[in-house]
Amino acid sequence: MNCQHCHTTINPQETGYTLCTHCELTFASLLMQAARDVTPLTDSLDATLHPGGHSPVRIQPATPPTPIRLEVLDLIDLLDATTTELRERLNGVDALTPTTTPPTTLASRLLDCAAHPRLSSLPDSGMYMNQIQKLSQQIDRTLDPPEQRREIGPCELCGSMLTAGPDDQWTICQVCNREQRTLTAKLHRLQTLCFDQTRTGTPSQISKAFTDSGITLRRNLINLWATRGKLTPTGKTNGKPVYLYSDVYRLTIAPAA
């Protein structure tokens, strides 16, 4: 018989099991981790909570009245319903049959399921493990949102647009799987802007493009060059003068020219 989750062959001597030993331990670990996440997840119902719910120092106690994050409430309800159903199935009770079991907390039910002797022999263990795994990933995204990634330039090999976070030193192209240095990709993008005689931008846009590429250039310096007549605007955008990237690049590498 094969494991319902990883599809590896289970030891023939272990009859009646639907999960292999590795997946059983992984499933129990997921349940225990979800039990630990119940408290920060409940605290994150407060819409004024800052991201980073896994870190206790980031948690802010709710002060009524505060707005409630409905997507977090739905996630807690889904985790509660899935855990209750799993525990009933582990205890040999039909999940659709009403029971009069005493109410317990969500965290205690998750721990009960993790320690249950039938966790790896339940006929539906693979299905419940997949559900808990998806819910755990959703909890992680809720408590610790992924950092904002933005476009940094085209790939050197296939030309696809690369993305990276603010602290990423390397990035991998999603198309050709080529690993590239983030700063190099930014410099290539800046080079494309500066070598095109038609690309223009406001002082703030040009300053940001240069600074993101590792070349510190302040907006006030661009305005100073314009005041001294070293830069000539090519037009205006929303009432702000725009300049050629190539002109700014020339003054950046040879400011005394």
Side-chain angles (χ1 to χ4, degrees):
M1 185 175 181
N2 295 334
C3 174
Q4 292 185 354
H5 181 72
C6 66
H7 306 293
T8 58
T9 302
I10 300 178
N11 190 340
Q13 298 179 354
E14 299 178 351
T15 58
Y17 288 90
T18 55
L19 293 178
C20 63
T21 304
H22 175 73
C23 289
E24 179 187 4
L25 295 175
T26 302
F27 193 8
S29 177
L30 287 172
L31 291 168
M32 289 187 290
Q33 179 62 51
R36 289 192 294 268
D37 290 340
V38 168
T39 298
L41 189 62
T42 304
D43 291 335
S44 67
L45 282 170
D46 180 7
T48 62
L49 179 72
H50 294 291
H54 275 130
S55 176
V57 297
R58 303 292 295 279
I59 295 177
Q60 297 178 351
T63 303
T66 56
I68 294 179
R69 300 170 63 187
L70 297 180
E71 70 279 5
V72 178
L73 184 62
D74 292 339
L75 178 57
I76 294 176
D77 289 342
L78 185 57
L79 179 63
D80 193 351
T82 303
T83 304
T84 301
E85 180 180 330
L86 174 60
R87 191 180 67 165
E88 297 296 332
R89 294 282 285 114
L90 290 172
N91 291 332
V93 180
D94 187 353
L96 300 179
T97 302
T99 60
T100 57
T101 54
T104 56
T105 62
L106 175 56
S108 63
R109 290 199 301 274
L110 285 164
L111 294 176
D112 288 343
C113 293
H116 204 283
R118 294 188 60 211
L119 185 64
S120 61
S121 59
L122 185 69
D124 302 328
S125 289
M127 179 193 69
Y128 284 109
M129 182 176 178
N130 292 335
Q131 290 181 354
I132 295 297
Q133 195 171 40
K134 293 179 180 178
L135 289 174
S136 297
Q137 294 172 355
Q138 191 172 351
I139 290 173
D140 289 339
R141 290 193 297 268
T142 301
L143 296 180
D144 294 317
E147 62 182 2
Q148 185 67 30
R149 301 178 65 87
R150 59 188 181 87
E151 297 180 350
I152 60 172
C155 173
E156 298 177 359
L157 185 61
C158 66
S160 302
M161 186 57 66
L162 301 173
T163 60
D167 298 326
D168 292 343
Q169 295 184 357
W170 295 87
T171 184
I172 298 178
C173 179
Q174 299 298 320
V175 178
C176 65
N177 206 33
R178 176 188 175 93
E179 186 179 28
Q180 302 172 54
R181 194 162 180 254
T182 301
L183 185 58
T184 303
K186 292 179 178 179
L187 285 172
H188 285 170
R189 188 179 193 181
L190 178 63
Q191 183 183 31
T192 302
L193 291 172
C194 294
F195 286 12
D196 188 342
Q197 297 293 328
T198 63
R199 302 301 295 267
T200 59
T202 63
S204 59
Q205 292 172 341
I206 297 175
S207 172
K208 180 173 176 48
F210 274 79
T211 304
D212 286 346
S213 302
I215 303 175
T216 303
L217 179 64
R218 299 189 180 279
R219 180 184 58 183
N220 294 338
L221 181 58
I222 300 177
N223 292 328
L224 180 61
W225 286 338
T227 303
R228 294 180 176 179
K230 294 184 177 182
L231 280 177
T232 302
T234 60
K236 288 188 176 182
T237 300
N238 297 328
K240 298 180 180 179
V242 293
Y243 305 94
L244 288 171
Y245 276 88
S246 57
D247 289 344
V248 177
Y249 177 73
R250 172 178 54 82
L251 291 173
T252 302
I253 62 175

